């Protein structure tokens, strides 16, 4: 009946507790099959997937068992009305849905759903850049628009506006912002530049947030407030609705820009480096997100491990020295950017050199470009600063497995952006992951007040023993980091419950409140059950 398979089996350990995957309810496989067959008639058979073709919607970076998160099928609606029809069909059939934009959420589950047996709602056909406003500097985009698509559209229009891009350009602008992803321009903290959402709710209704509710208002993508409570945040990392349009603020092209690299050759000076970067960011000298990686991390982005070391255990310290010398790296390496005319860049660069110069063993290098420089004129390593999308770092997964089964998973605890905390988080993760036999590939993203401390693990998804070691290390690290006050900002499907469980203040009151909202707007629990640990009651 209705609700079967959509997380109605919420007996023991419902909610905050369990990290076990929930089996789909009885009869749900047939319910899903029936729904997919009906939608094949409605949407066109070529826009509905089931059977073996579902493999395209598995998580290639799963820890061992790709079938743990196997969907029953996928549907590809063409427009908002078809999204509504899909949601209504799922409500009637009691089938869980899992919306994706481009499905490139690798390291967090890719296109696969949290609950096996769900039907993926692939929004890839809603791929229009609906509006680019040159005066007010925003775009209105659909969830199937990738960073490449938005960049191409801005160039096609000869726009003066830049979008911020993450490491890989193939992901969805909407999906990434909804997941609170990062890029590296002045607009790199993507969630801060979302303004105005259109959302299809679990009952098939459509809402527009904020000023979008005022018919004819042009301020929907300009002013977040609206009249009354701000609801936009409810739809980030959320299973309360399917976002079908999003306003995103764009950066007016600067006259000139500087892509800046900072390195320190002494690990022990990490706290000084972090404190310096925070001050430069808070002062407004550096614009946007600061991105740092250790030497092995940078090397992993451009080479395979055997080039340096093919022994067992972690890459030894002497080898790290060789890597750093060969690739011209420090033990920690920062990339960041600042924008303005040359006079302003002179002042900013002088201040960067002054602050960083006080750290022994540090180096600063700056490349400056015209805002109008083409992608060919900007060094590939500096593309991040101008929002030029690429796939430069996609090779990192070959660090350990030189083949199609190379995979990665990221652990990303948030700390204050202070030397003390970033060094402490780094130490916890490094000790633990090295004990598990993996190289410490570490980094941090800083945006003024907080740092996202990144532990990247490259592993061979085809090697079950290796997957097991990763799983165990993660399961231990999450509570260990939480005990130090560091909570993940995002998590792979496999660890969503465990991460949610750590946010336990006042007897899990926040998660309970979220579940109350979920019960009110999606009583049958059809939208992304289990996402971010939020299961239907
Ligand atoms: P990427 O940008 O890497 O391609 P996805 O598009 O797969 O990422 O989106 C990442 C995650 O964000 C999805 O797994 C889903 O949980 C959520 N998400 C993506 N698009 C939407 C949407 N339109 N509405 C609600 N949630 C979404």
């Amino acid at each position: 009946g209705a609700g079967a398979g959509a997380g109605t089996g919420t007996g023991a350990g419902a909610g905050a507790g369990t990290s076990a995957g929930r089996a789909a309810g009885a009869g749900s496989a047939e319910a899903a099959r029936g729904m997919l067959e009906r939608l094949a008639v409605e949407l066109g058979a070529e826009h509905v997937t089931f059977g073996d073709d579902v493999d395209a919607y598995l998580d290639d970076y799963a820890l061992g068992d790709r079938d743990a998160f196997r969907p029953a099928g996928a549907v590809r609606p063409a427009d908002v009305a078809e999204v509504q029809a899909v949601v209504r069909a799922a409500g009637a059939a009691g089938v869980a849905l899992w919306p994706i934009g481009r499905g490139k959420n690798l390291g967090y589950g890719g296109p696969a759903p949290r609950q096996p047996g769900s039907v993926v709602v692939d929004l890839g056909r809603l791929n229009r850049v609906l509006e680019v406003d040159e005066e007010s500097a925003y775009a209105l985009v659909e969830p199937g628009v990738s960073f490449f698509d938005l960049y191409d559209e801005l160039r096609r229009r000869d726009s003066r506006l830049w979008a911020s891009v993450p490491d890989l350009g193939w992901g969805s602008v909407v999906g990434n912002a909804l997941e609170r992803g990062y890029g590296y321009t002045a607009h790199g903290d993507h969630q801060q530049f979302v303004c105005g959402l259109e959302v299809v709710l679990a009952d098939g209704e459509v809402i527009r947030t904020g000023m979008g509710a005022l018919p004819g208002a042009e301020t929907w993508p300009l002013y977040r407030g609206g009249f009354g409570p701000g609801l936009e945040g409810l739809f980030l990392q959320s299973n309360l609705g399917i976002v079908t349009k999003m306003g995103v603020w764009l950066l007016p092209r600067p006259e000139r820009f500087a892509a800046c690299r900072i390195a320190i050759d002494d690990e022990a000076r990490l706290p000084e480096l972090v404190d310096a970067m925070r001050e430069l960011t808070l002062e407004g000298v550096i614009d946007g997100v600061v991105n740092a990686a250790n030497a092995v991390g940078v090397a992993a982005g451009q080479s395979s491990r055997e080039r340096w070391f093919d022994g067992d255990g972690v890459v030894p310290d002497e080898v790290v020295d060789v890597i750093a010398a060969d690739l011209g790296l420090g033990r920690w390496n920062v990339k960041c950017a600042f924008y303005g005319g040359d006079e302003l860049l002179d002042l900013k660069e002088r201040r960067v050199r002054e602050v960083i110069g006080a750290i022994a063993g540090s180096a600063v290098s700056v490349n400056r470009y015209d805002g109008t420089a083409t992608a060919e004129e900007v060094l590939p390593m500096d593309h991040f600063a101008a929002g030029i999308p690429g796939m430069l770092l996609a090779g990192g997964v070959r660090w350990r497995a030189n083949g199609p089964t190379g995979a990665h998973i990221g652990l990303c605890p948030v700390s204050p952006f202070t030397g003390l905390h970033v060094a402490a988080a780094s130490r916890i993760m490094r000790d633990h992951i090295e004990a598990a036999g993996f190289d410490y590939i570490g980094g941090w993203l800083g945006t003024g007040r907080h740092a996202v401390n990144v532990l990247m693990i490259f592993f061979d998804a085809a090697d079950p023993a290796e997957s097991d070691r990763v799983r165990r290390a993660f399961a231990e690290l999450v509570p260990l980091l939480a005990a130090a006050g560091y909570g993940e900002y995002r998590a792979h499907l496999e660890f969503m419950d465990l991460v949610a469980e750590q946010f336990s203040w006042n007897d899990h009151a926040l998660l309970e409140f979220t579940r109350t909202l979920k019960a009110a707007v999606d009583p049958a629990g059809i939208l992304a059950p289990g996402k971010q640990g939020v299961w239907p009651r």
Side-chain angles (χ1 to χ4, degrees):
T8 48
T10 49
T18 175
S19 54
R22 277 149 213 248
S28 66
E30 292 93 274
R33 185 68 181 224
M35 181 186 96
L36 288 162
E37 278 164 1
R38 287 190 294 281
L39 286 172
V41 177
E42 215 170 313
L43 309 188
E46 68 276 32
H47 302 308
V48 175
T49 296
F50 41 87
D52 291 342
D53 295 341
V54 171
D55 282 7
Y57 292 95
L58 295 180
D59 176 16
D60 285 337
Y61 293 2
L63 290 167
D65 182 12
R66 294 204 305 164
D67 286 330
F69 304 105
R70 175 178 281 276
V75 295
R76 289 174 291 278
D79 53 27
V80 178
E82 287 194 359
V83 175
Q84 293 175 276
V86 167
V87 168
R88 291 191 170 118
V95 170
L97 300 176
W98 181 265
I100 61 166
R102 307 285 327 165
K104 301 296 186 190
N105 200 20
L106 293 166
Y108 300 103
R114 172 66 187 89
Q115 177 168 282
S118 302
V119 168
V120 174
V121 184
D122 178 343
L123 299 163
R125 291 171 70 209
L126 278 76
N127 61 357
R128 290 173 302 167
V129 177
L130 296 166
E131 228 185 301
V132 174
D133 190 296
E134 292 292 327
E135 278 181 317
S136 298
Y138 71 85
L140 188 68
V141 297
E142 294 185 316
V145 172
S146 72
F147 291 94
F148 285 122
D149 296 336
L150 180 54
Y151 180 81
D152 290 346
E153 179 62 15
L154 292 171
R155 297 287 72 77
R156 193 187 67 76
R157 291 175 185 237
D158 203 16
S159 171
R160 65 161 186 141
L161 301 173
W162 287 3
S164 174
V165 299
D167 287 324
L168 304 181
W170 61 0
S172 154
V173 176
V174 172
N176 184 280
L178 293 181
E179 290 297 277
R180 308 198 181 102
Y182 288 88
Y184 311 106
T185 64
H187 287 194
D189 189 359
H190 290 164
Q191 64 170 327
Q192 305 294 342
F193 298 91
V194 172
C195 186
L197 297 178
E198 180 186 87
V199 187
V200 172
L201 302 174
D203 61 1
E205 192 57 86
V206 190
I207 59 168
R208 290 187 174 180
T209 60
M211 286 295 173
L214 185 70
E218 292 183 19
T219 44
W220 181 31
L222 304 181
Y223 174 71
R224 284 212 191 84
F227 193 66
L231 300 187
E232 232 166 58
L234 282 181
F235 301 104
L236 272 65
Q237 292 196 2
S238 166
N239 57 13
L240 300 176
I242 298 180
V243 173
T244 46
K245 292 183 182 63
M246 182 184 91
V248 53
W249 290 349
L250 302 174
L251 183 70
R253 178 178 58 219
E255 188 188 330
R256 300 267 289 157
F257 69 98
C260 175
R261 281 186 166 62
I262 295 164
I264 56 166
D265 59 21
D266 179 0
E267 302 250 17
R269 297 197 182 270
L270 172 63
E272 286 173 60
L273 175 64
V274 172
D275 287 329
M277 296 315 300
R278 183 197 61 251
E279 284 309 303
L280 289 169
T281 310
L282 285 176
E283 280 176 16
V285 172
I286 285 168
D287 299 304
V289 175
V290 170
N291 178 19
N294 66 355
V296 177
V298 180
Q302 32 183 277
S303 56
S304 82
R305 194 172 189 270
E306 300 108 72
R307 174 173 162 196
W308 311 103
F309 181 67
D310 60 3
D312 284 335
V314 303
V315 173
D317 218 47
E318 317 82 79
V319 176
V320 179
D321 282 335
V322 174
I323 292 175
D326 271 30
L327 299 179
L329 301 170
R331 284 301 179 117
W332 283 99
N333 306 277
V334 168
K335 58 181 189 182
C336 57
F338 36 99
Y339 302 87
D342 267 325
E343 276 177 275
L344 187 51
L345 294 188
D346 286 344
L347 291 172
K348 289 185 170 191
E349 185 172 335
R350 196 196 313 151
R351 180 70 182 144
V352 170
R353 291 189 183 280
E354 178 180 80
V355 172
I356 300 299
I359 305 171
S362 64
V364 175
S365 73
V366 176
N367 293 327
R368 288 196 198 181
Y369 301 95
D370 280 338
T372 52
T374 63
E376 292 70 34
E377 288 162 349
V378 178
L379 286 173
M381 66 189 255
D382 291 337
H383 281 185
F384 75 93
I388 301 167
M391 294 296 289
L392 210 56
L393 293 178
V397 293
R398 288 195 296 273
W399 180 243
R400 279 178 82 100
N402 214 348
T405 58
H408 70 71
I409 186 165
L411 189 72
C412 301
V414 176
S415 76
F417 192 16
T418 64
L420 184 78
H421 284 291
V422 170
S426 167
R427 179 44 61 194
I428 294 170
M429 294 194 284
R430 178 172 189 160
D431 287 350
H432 210 87
I433 210 64
E434 289 188 346
F438 294 96
D439 301 319
Y440 170 59
I441 294 179
W444 34 272
L445 302 168
T447 66
R449 290 175 179 79
H450 74 273
V452 174
N453 299 272
V454 181
L455 168 66
M456 188 60 91
I457 304 180
F458 294 113
F459 66 100
D460 185 349
D463 178 343
E466 199 161 285
S467 292
D468 257 3
R469 280 194 292 137
V470 177
R471 184 182 291 107
R472 212 168 321 119
F474 259 66
E476 290 163 0
L477 267 169
V478 168
L480 206 59
L481 289 159
Y486 311 139
E488 311 314 311
Y489 96 98
R490 198 170 172 184
H492 186 273
L493 299 172
E494 177 130 12
F495 301 105
M496 283 177 178
D497 287 323
L498 178 64
V499 170
E501 200 181 309
Q502 312 304 314
F503 289 74
S504 61
W505 186 79
N506 192 19
D507 200 15
H508 303 272
L510 182 62
L511 184 57
E512 278 310 305
F513 178 66
T514 310
R515 296 182 71 211
T516 299
L517 293 176
K518 178 74 176 161
V521 301
D522 182 13
I526 57 159
L527 290 185
K531 182 168 169 60
Q532 252 60 15
V534 180
W535 292 96
R537 286 201 198 286

